[in-house]
Amino acid sequence: MKLKMHKCEDCGEYTLKSICPYCGEKVKVIYPAKYSIDDKYGKYRRKLKEEMLNKQV
């Protein structure tokens, strides 16, 4: 089993558990997504970003 550090979204405490032991709220993984040179969804992210920028103008 691979352990990853988590951070509580509510109180900001760090833990290895799937829920915060201090307040019982959700936690999220603090590491960024793994980089892949073969980005399957890059085309869609760029298109979405372009659409979002055009809507703001």
Coordinates of all heavy atoms in Angstrom, one line a residue:
M1 N 0.8 -1.2 0.0 CA 0.0 0.0 0.0 C 0.9 1.2 0.0 O 1.8 1.4 0.8 CB -0.9 0.0 1.2 CG -1.9 1.1 1.3 SD -3.0 0.9 2.6 CE -2.9 2.5 3.3
K2 N 0.6 2.2 -0.9 CA 1.3 3.4 -1.0 C 0.7 4.5 -0.2 O -0.5 4.7 -0.3 CB 1.4 3.8 -2.5 CG 2.4 4.8 -2.8 CD 2.4 5.0 -4.3 CE 3.7 5.3 -4.9 NZ 3.7 5.7 -6.3
L3 N 1.4 5.1 0.7 CA 0.9 6.2 1.5 C 1.1 7.5 0.9 O 2.2 7.8 0.4 CB 1.5 6.1 2.9 CG 1.2 4.9 3.8 CD1 1.9 5.0 5.1 CD2 -0.3 4.8 4.0
K4 N 0.1 8.3 0.9 CA 0.3 9.7 0.4 C -0.2 10.7 1.4 O -1.2 10.4 2.1 CB -0.5 9.9 -0.9 CG 0.0 9.2 -2.1 CD -0.6 9.7 -3.3 CE 0.1 9.0 -4.5 NZ -0.3 9.6 -5.8
M5 N 0.5 11.8 1.5 CA 0.2 12.8 2.5 C -1.1 13.5 2.0 O -1.3 13.8 0.8 CB 1.3 13.8 2.6 CG 1.1 14.9 3.6 SD 1.2 14.4 5.3 CE 2.9 14.1 5.4
H6 N -2.0 13.8 2.9 CA -3.3 14.5 2.7 C -3.3 15.8 3.5 O -2.7 15.9 4.5 CB -4.5 13.6 3.0 CG -4.6 12.4 2.2 ND1 -3.9 11.2 2.4 CD2 -5.3 12.2 1.1 CE1 -4.3 10.3 1.5 NE2 -5.1 10.9 0.7
K7 N -4.1 16.7 3.0 CA -4.3 17.9 3.8 C -5.8 18.2 3.9 O -6.6 18.0 3.0 CB -3.7 19.1 3.1 CG -3.8 20.4 3.9 CD -3.1 21.6 3.2 CE -3.2 22.8 4.0 NZ -2.5 23.9 3.4
C8 N -6.3 18.5 5.1 CA -7.7 18.7 5.4 C -8.1 20.0 4.7 O -7.4 21.0 4.8 CB -7.9 18.8 6.9 SG -9.6 19.2 7.3
E9 N -9.3 20.0 4.0 CA -9.8 21.1 3.4 C -10.3 22.2 4.3 O -10.4 23.4 4.0 CB -10.9 20.7 2.4 CG -10.4 19.9 1.2 CD -11.5 19.4 0.3 OE1 -12.7 19.6 0.7 OE2 -11.2 18.9 -0.8
D10 N -10.7 21.7 5.5 CA -11.4 22.6 6.5 C -10.4 23.3 7.4 O -10.3 24.5 7.5 CB -12.4 21.8 7.2 CG -13.3 22.7 8.1 OD1 -13.7 23.8 7.5 OD2 -13.7 22.4 9.2
C11 N -9.6 22.4 8.2 CA -8.7 23.0 9.2 C -7.3 23.1 8.8 O -6.5 23.7 9.5 CB -8.8 22.1 10.5 SG -8.2 20.4 10.3
G12 N -6.9 22.5 7.6 CA -5.5 22.6 7.1 C -4.5 21.7 7.7 O -3.3 21.8 7.5
E13 N -4.9 20.7 8.5 CA -4.0 19.8 9.2 C -3.6 18.7 8.1 O -4.3 18.4 7.2 CB -4.7 19.1 10.3 CG -4.9 20.0 11.5 CD -3.6 20.5 12.2 OE1 -2.6 19.7 12.2 OE2 -3.6 21.6 12.7
Y14 N -2.4 18.2 8.3 CA -1.9 17.2 7.4 C -2.0 15.8 8.1 O -1.9 15.7 9.3 CB -0.4 17.4 7.1 CG -0.1 18.6 6.3 CD1 0.1 19.9 6.9 CD2 -0.1 18.5 4.9 CE1 0.3 21.0 6.1 CE2 0.1 19.6 4.1 CZ 0.3 20.9 4.7 OH 0.5 22.0 3.9
T15 N -2.3 14.8 7.3 CA -2.5 13.4 7.8 C -2.3 12.4 6.7 O -2.2 12.8 5.5 CB -4.0 13.3 8.3 OG1 -4.1 12.0 8.9 CG2 -5.0 13.5 7.3
L16 N -2.1 11.2 7.1 CA -2.0 10.1 6.1 C -3.4 9.3 5.9 O -3.5 8.4 5.1 CB -1.0 9.1 6.5 CG 0.5 9.6 6.5 CD1 1.4 8.6 7.1 CD2 0.9 10.0 5.1
K17 N -4.4 9.7 6.7 CA -5.7 9.1 6.7 C -6.6 9.7 5.6 O -6.3 10.8 5.1 CB -6.3 9.2 8.0 CG -5.5 8.5 9.1 CD -6.1 8.6 10.5 CE -5.3 7.9 11.5 NZ -5.8 7.9 12.8
S18 N -7.7 9.0 5.3 CA -8.6 9.5 4.3 C -9.6 10.5 4.7 O -10.2 11.2 3.9 CB -9.3 8.3 3.6 OG -10.0 7.6 4.6
I19 N -9.8 10.6 6.1 CA -10.6 11.7 6.6 C -9.8 12.4 7.8 O -8.9 11.7 8.4 CB -11.9 11.2 7.2 CG1 -11.8 10.2 8.2 CG2 -12.8 10.7 6.1 CD1 -13.1 9.9 9.0
C20 N -10.0 13.6 8.0 CA -9.2 14.3 9.0 C -9.5 13.8 10.4 O -10.7 13.7 10.8 CB -9.6 15.8 8.9 SG -8.7 16.8 10.1
P21 N -8.5 13.4 11.2 CA -8.7 12.9 12.5 C -9.0 14.0 13.5 O -9.5 13.7 14.6 CB -7.3 12.2 12.9 CG -6.3 12.9 12.0 CD -7.1 13.3 10.7
Y22 N -8.8 15.3 13.1 CA -9.0 16.4 14.0 C -10.5 16.9 14.0 O -11.1 17.2 15.0 CB -8.0 17.5 13.8 CG -6.6 17.1 13.9 CD1 -5.8 16.8 12.8 CD2 -6.0 16.9 15.2 CE1 -4.5 16.4 12.9 CE2 -4.7 16.5 15.3 CZ -4.0 16.2 14.2 OH -2.7 15.8 14.3
C23 N -11.0 17.1 12.7 CA -12.3 17.6 12.6 C -13.3 16.7 11.8 O -14.4 17.0 11.8 CB -12.2 19.0 11.9 SG -11.7 18.9 10.2
G24 N -12.8 15.6 11.2 CA -13.6 14.7 10.5 C -14.1 15.1 9.1 O -14.9 14.5 8.5
E25 N -13.5 16.2 8.6 CA -13.8 16.6 7.2 C -13.0 15.9 6.2 O -12.1 15.1 6.4 CB -13.6 18.1 7.1 CG -14.5 19.0 8.0 CD -16.0 18.8 7.6 OE1 -16.3 18.8 6.4 OE2 -16.8 18.7 8.5
K26 N -13.3 16.2 4.9 CA -12.6 15.7 3.8 C -11.2 16.1 3.7 O -10.9 17.2 4.2 CB -13.3 16.2 2.5 CG -14.6 15.5 2.1 CD -15.0 16.2 0.8 CE -16.0 15.3 0.0 NZ -16.3 16.0 -1.2
V27 N -10.3 15.3 3.2 CA -9.0 15.6 2.9 C -8.7 15.4 1.5 O -9.4 14.7 0.7 CB -8.0 14.7 3.8 CG1 -8.2 15.0 5.2 CG2 -8.2 13.3 3.5
K28 N -7.6 16.1 1.0 CA -7.2 15.9 -0.4 C -5.7 15.7 -0.5 O -5.0 16.1 0.4 CB -7.6 17.1 -1.3 CG -7.0 18.4 -0.9 CD -7.5 19.6 -1.7 CE -6.9 20.9 -1.3 NZ -7.3 22.0 -2.1
V29 N -5.3 15.0 -1.6 CA -3.9 14.7 -1.8 C -3.2 16.0 -2.1 O -3.7 16.8 -2.9 CB -3.7 13.7 -2.9 CG1 -2.3 13.4 -3.2 CG2 -4.4 12.4 -2.5
I30 N -2.0 16.2 -1.6 CA -1.3 17.5 -1.8 C -0.3 17.5 -2.9 O 0.2 18.5 -3.3 CB -0.6 18.0 -0.5 CG1 0.4 16.9 0.0 CG2 -1.6 18.2 0.6 CD1 1.3 17.4 1.1
Y31 N -0.1 16.3 -3.5 CA 0.8 16.2 -4.6 C 0.2 16.6 -5.9 O -1.0 16.3 -6.2 CB 1.4 14.8 -4.7 CG 2.0 14.3 -3.4 CD1 1.4 13.4 -2.6 CD2 3.2 14.9 -2.9 CE1 2.0 13.0 -1.4 CE2 3.8 14.5 -1.7 CZ 3.2 13.5 -1.0 OH 3.7 13.1 0.2
P32 N 0.9 17.2 -6.8 CA 0.4 17.5 -8.2 C 0.2 16.2 -9.0 O 0.8 15.2 -8.7 CB 1.4 18.4 -8.8 CG 2.7 18.1 -8.1 CD 2.3 17.7 -6.7
A33 N -0.6 16.3 -10.0 CA -0.8 15.1 -10.9 C 0.5 14.8 -11.6 O 1.3 15.6 -11.9 CB -1.9 15.5 -11.9
K34 N 0.6 13.5 -11.9 CA 1.8 13.0 -12.5 C 1.9 13.6 -14.0 O 0.9 13.6 -14.7 CB 1.8 11.5 -12.6 CG 3.1 10.9 -13.0 CD 3.0 9.4 -12.9 CE 4.2 8.7 -13.3 NZ 4.1 7.2 -13.2
Y35 N 3.1 14.1 -14.4 CA 3.3 14.7 -15.7 C 3.4 13.5 -16.7 O 4.2 12.6 -16.5 CB 4.5 15.6 -15.7 CG 4.8 16.1 -17.1 CD1 4.0 17.1 -17.7 CD2 5.8 15.5 -17.9 CE1 4.3 17.5 -19.0 CE2 6.1 16.0 -19.1 CZ 5.3 17.0 -19.7 OH 5.6 17.4 -20.9
S36 N 2.8 13.7 -17.8 CA 2.9 12.7 -18.9 C 3.1 13.5 -20.2 O 2.4 14.4 -20.5 CB 1.7 11.9 -19.0 OG 1.7 11.1 -20.1
I37 N 4.2 13.1 -20.9 CA 4.4 13.7 -22.2 C 3.3 13.3 -23.2 O 3.0 14.1 -24.1 CB 5.8 13.3 -22.7 CG1 6.2 14.3 -23.8 CG2 5.9 11.9 -23.3 CD1 7.6 14.7 -23.8
D38 N 2.7 12.2 -23.0 CA 1.5 11.8 -23.8 C 0.2 12.2 -23.2 O -0.5 11.4 -22.6 CB 1.6 10.2 -24.0 CG 0.5 9.7 -24.9 OD1 0.1 10.5 -25.8 OD2 0.0 8.6 -24.7
D39 N 0.0 13.5 -23.2 CA -1.2 14.1 -22.5 C -2.4 13.9 -23.3 O -2.7 14.5 -24.3 CB -0.9 15.6 -22.3 CG -2.0 16.2 -21.4 OD1 -2.9 15.5 -21.0 OD2 -1.9 17.5 -21.2
K40 N -3.2 12.9 -22.9 CA -4.4 12.5 -23.7 C -5.5 13.6 -23.7 O -6.2 13.7 -24.7 CB -5.0 11.2 -23.1 CG -4.2 10.0 -23.2 CD -4.9 8.8 -22.8 CE -5.1 8.8 -21.3 NZ -5.7 7.5 -20.8
Y41 N -5.5 14.4 -22.7 CA -6.6 15.4 -22.6 C -6.1 16.8 -22.7 O -6.9 17.8 -22.5 CB -7.3 15.2 -21.2 CG -7.9 13.8 -21.1 CD1 -7.3 12.9 -20.2 CD2 -9.0 13.4 -21.8 CE1 -7.8 11.6 -20.1 CE2 -9.5 12.2 -21.6 CZ -8.9 11.3 -20.8 OH -9.4 10.0 -20.7
G42 N -4.9 17.0 -23.1 CA -4.3 18.4 -23.3 C -5.1 19.2 -24.3 O -5.3 20.4 -24.1
K43 N -5.5 18.6 -25.4 CA -6.3 19.3 -26.4 C -7.6 19.9 -25.8 O -7.9 21.1 -26.1 CB -6.6 18.4 -27.5 CG -7.5 18.9 -28.6 CD -7.7 18.0 -29.8 CE -8.3 16.7 -29.3 NZ -8.6 15.8 -30.5
Y44 N -8.2 19.2 -25.0 CA -9.5 19.6 -24.4 C -9.3 20.7 -23.3 O -10.1 21.6 -23.2 CB -10.2 18.4 -23.8 CG -10.5 17.3 -24.8 CD1 -9.8 16.1 -24.8 CD2 -11.4 17.6 -25.9 CE1 -10.0 15.2 -25.7 CE2 -11.6 16.6 -26.8 CZ -10.9 15.4 -26.7 OH -11.1 14.4 -27.7
R45 N -8.2 20.6 -22.5 CA -7.9 21.6 -21.5 C -7.6 22.9 -22.2 O -8.0 24.0 -21.7 CB -6.7 21.1 -20.6 CG -7.1 20.2 -19.6 CD -5.9 19.9 -18.6 NE -4.8 19.2 -19.3 CZ -3.7 19.8 -19.7 NH1 -3.5 21.1 -19.5 NH2 -2.8 19.1 -20.3
R46 N -6.8 22.9 -23.2 CA -6.4 24.1 -23.9 C -7.7 24.7 -24.6 O -7.8 26.0 -24.5 CB -5.4 23.8 -25.0 CG -4.0 23.6 -24.4 CD -2.9 23.4 -25.4 NE -3.1 22.2 -26.3 CZ -2.6 21.0 -25.9 NH1 -2.0 20.9 -24.8 NH2 -2.7 20.0 -26.7
K47 N -8.6 23.9 -25.1 CA -9.8 24.4 -25.7 C -10.7 25.1 -24.7 O -11.2 26.2 -24.9 CB -10.5 23.3 -26.4 CG -11.7 23.8 -27.2 CD -12.4 22.7 -28.0 CE -13.5 23.2 -28.8 NZ -14.1 22.1 -29.6
L48 N -10.8 24.4 -23.5 CA -11.6 25.0 -22.4 C -11.0 26.3 -21.9 O -11.7 27.3 -21.7 CB -11.7 24.0 -21.3 CG -12.5 24.4 -20.1 CD1 -13.9 24.7 -20.4 CD2 -12.4 23.4 -19.0
K49 N -9.7 26.3 -21.8 CA -9.1 27.6 -21.3 C -9.3 28.7 -22.3 O -9.6 29.8 -21.9 CB -7.5 27.3 -21.1 CG -6.8 28.5 -20.6 CD -5.3 28.1 -20.4 CE -4.6 29.3 -19.8 NZ -3.2 29.0 -19.6
E50 N -9.2 28.4 -23.6 CA -9.4 29.4 -24.6 C -10.8 29.9 -24.5 O -11.1 31.1 -24.6 CB -9.1 28.9 -26.0 CG -9.3 29.9 -27.1 CD -9.0 29.2 -28.4 OE1 -8.0 28.4 -28.5 OE2 -9.7 29.5 -29.4
E51 N -11.8 29.0 -24.4 CA -13.2 29.4 -24.3 C -13.5 30.3 -23.1 O -14.2 31.3 -23.1 CB -14.1 28.2 -24.3 CG -14.2 27.5 -25.6 CD -15.0 26.2 -25.5 OE1 -15.6 25.9 -24.4 OE2 -15.0 25.5 -26.5
M52 N -12.9 29.9 -21.9 CA -13.0 30.7 -20.7 C -12.4 32.1 -20.8 O -13.0 33.1 -20.4 CB -12.4 30.0 -19.5 CG -13.0 28.6 -19.2 SD -14.7 28.7 -18.8 CE -14.6 29.4 -17.1
L53 N -11.3 32.2 -21.5 CA -10.7 33.5 -21.7 C -11.6 34.4 -22.6 O -11.7 35.6 -22.4 CB -9.3 33.4 -22.3 CG -8.2 32.9 -21.3 CD1 -6.9 32.7 -22.0 CD2 -8.1 33.8 -20.1
N54 N -12.1 33.8 -23.7 CA -13.0 34.5 -24.6 C -14.3 35.0 -23.9 O -14.8 36.0 -24.3 CB -13.3 33.7 -25.8 CG -12.1 33.5 -26.7 OD1 -11.2 34.3 -26.7 ND2 -12.1 32.4 -27.5
K55 N -14.8 34.2 -23.0 CA -16.0 34.6 -22.3 C -15.8 35.8 -21.4 O -16.7 36.6 -21.2 CB -16.6 33.5 -21.5 CG -17.3 32.4 -22.3 CD -17.8 31.4 -21.4 CE -18.5 30.3 -22.2 NZ -19.1 29.2 -21.4
Q56 N -14.6 35.9 -20.8 CA -14.3 37.0 -19.9 C -14.1 38.4 -20.6 O -14.3 39.4 -20.0 CB -13.1 36.7 -19.1 CG -13.2 35.6 -18.1 CD -12.0 35.3 -17.4 OE1 -10.9 35.9 -17.6 NE2 -12.1 34.3 -16.4
V57 N -13.8 38.3 -21.9 CA -13.5 39.6 -22.6 C -14.8 40.2 -23.1 O -15.8 39.9 -23.1 CB -12.6 39.3 -23.8 CG1 -12.4 40.5 -24.7 CG2 -11.3 38.8 -23.3

